[in-house]
Amino acid sequence: MDPHADAPVTRARRAVLRRVALGSAIAAAALILAGVAAVWIALASLDTAPMRGWIRDGIRRATGLDVSWERLDVSARGAIRMDGLRIANPAPWSAHEPDLLAARRIEIDVAPAPLLGGRIRVSRLALHDLRATRVAGPDGSNLDALSGPPDAAAAVDAPAEAPWTLAGPRGLDARVDALSVDGIALASVSIDAAGTPTRLAVDGLALRGAVALAPDGGVTGSLRLEGPEAGVPVRRDAGEDPGSAPDARVRVDAAVEASAGRAALRLRADVAAQALTDRLPASFPAVAIDASFAETPDGLHLDVQAL
């Protein structure tokens, strides 16, 4: 038999295989593009009135919290911008502070393609003018609302609380390459038995860092919290006049690094000036801590290196 007789058949088979492979590649690419488009069409619809109501109702049913925002923009390149985010304080705490948490603007740059595989890849996450408030009284605090609405049936069968751990949520594959939070303002309102509130507020803090969560619960990354060189302003009972002269200034420098079941904390806080009380000097070193944490078979091990 002539070996060259089968050559046209072989070439025809190869041509068919190439067409099948090319068609499969085109179909796969079309599916991927359709998936990406579906993801971003869904995200882009989040700022429509029906979606706003659906999301707010779902969050309220799950947590008891009222969440709102002024504007939400989502681009096909993965840029998400939100303005005027508010998490309202529930009653009766809202009578003292309207918001539990608020941010003037949130900017997120996320890669669309990894979302199809259940992975979250954020190149930049920036929050601007973040405000958080704790309100506490004899019967609890507004932070109790973060545990969600009470469920008597679930409380009966609730398992014992897990011990302290450095692990994050399992099954989540996420990474934030650049995290920044500017203009952090924190306030604490304490209400005595007579109903009289005392407010203590700090502002001017900033947070920088990066963090990654592995599917097995592993957490890696680093965060640094710092304030202005002159010190973070501290004001007491200045809710009506946040621009008033501060009662104290505190220099803050804190850093946390985490990797493979271990974490290290470095915290420095010095009171640069204070007029809150005559029982303390006008300026003094307040806190100096170097500590490490490690997961062990017996639980979380703490080693305080300097205090």
Side-chain angles (χ1 to χ4, degrees):
M1 181 179 291
D2 186 358
H4 298 288
D6 292 335
V9 176
T10 301
R11 287 196 294 270
R13 289 176 177 173
R14 290 176 178 173
V16 170
L17 290 175
R18 282 197 294 269
R19 286 195 293 271
V20 171
L22 180 60
S24 300
I26 293 175
L31 287 174
I32 292 174
L33 290 175
V36 173
V39 169
W40 289 113
I41 289 173
L43 289 174
S45 68
L46 292 179
D47 205 36
T48 62
M51 286 297 292
R52 280 195 186 201
W54 181 78
I55 294 172
R56 292 184 61 179
D57 290 343
I59 294 174
R60 188 181 295 112
R61 286 193 301 267
T63 67
L65 298 174
D66 185 5
V67 179
S68 63
W69 59 89
E70 296 175 0
R71 182 177 179 179
L72 176 62
D73 294 324
V74 181
S75 77
R77 296 177 299 172
I80 303 173
R81 304 292 182 262
M82 176 182 283
D83 293 332
L85 173 67
R86 291 185 58 217
I87 301 178
N89 260 325
W93 316 114
S94 56
H96 302 279
E97 289 286 338
D99 298 330
L100 187 154
L101 186 72
R104 178 180 60 83
R105 186 171 177 81
I106 300 176
E107 301 174 350
I108 307 174
D109 295 328
V110 61
L115 293 175
L116 298 175
R119 294 174 291 119
I120 302 173
R121 297 294 180 264
V122 178
S123 60
R124 185 175 72 99
L125 171 58
L127 289 82
H128 304 280
D129 296 335
L130 179 70
R131 304 191 316 274
T133 305
R134 174 184 179 270
V135 186
D139 299 326
S141 78
N142 62 337
L143 300 184
D144 297 337
L146 298 179
S147 60
D151 187 339
V156 174
D157 299 326
E161 292 187 3
W164 286 93
T165 177
L166 296 177
R170 292 186 177 273
L172 181 60
D173 186 355
R175 188 180 71 223
V176 179
D177 296 328
L179 168 67
S180 64
V181 187
D182 296 311
I184 301 175
L186 307 174
S188 177
V189 179
S190 299
I191 306 169
D192 61 20
T196 303
T198 300
R199 191 176 192 273
L200 192 67
V202 301
D203 60 73
L205 291 166
L207 183 70
R208 301 282 186 276
V211 65
L213 304 175
D216 62 358
V219 180
T220 59
S222 62
L223 296 173
R224 182 172 182 179
L225 179 70
E226 57 187 354
E229 185 176 352
V232 175
V234 180
R235 295 179 175 87
R236 179 177 56 189
D237 297 328
E240 299 300 327
D241 186 13
S244 61
D247 298 290
R249 285 191 175 273
V250 180
R251 299 189 185 97
V252 177
D253 185 4
V256 177
E257 294 188 6
S259 63
R262 302 185 65 87
L265 167 67
R266 179 182 181 275
L267 172 61
R268 300 288 185 273
D270 299 328
V271 176
Q274 71 89 19
L276 292 169
T277 176
D278 295 333
R279 298 180 180 180
L280 295 173
S283 62
F284 58 94
V287 178
I289 296 177
D290 290 287
S292 63
F293 307 83
E295 293 275 13
T296 69
D298 297 327
L300 191 63
H301 176 71
L302 169 64
D303 179 19
V304 179
Q305 301 168 354
L307 178 62

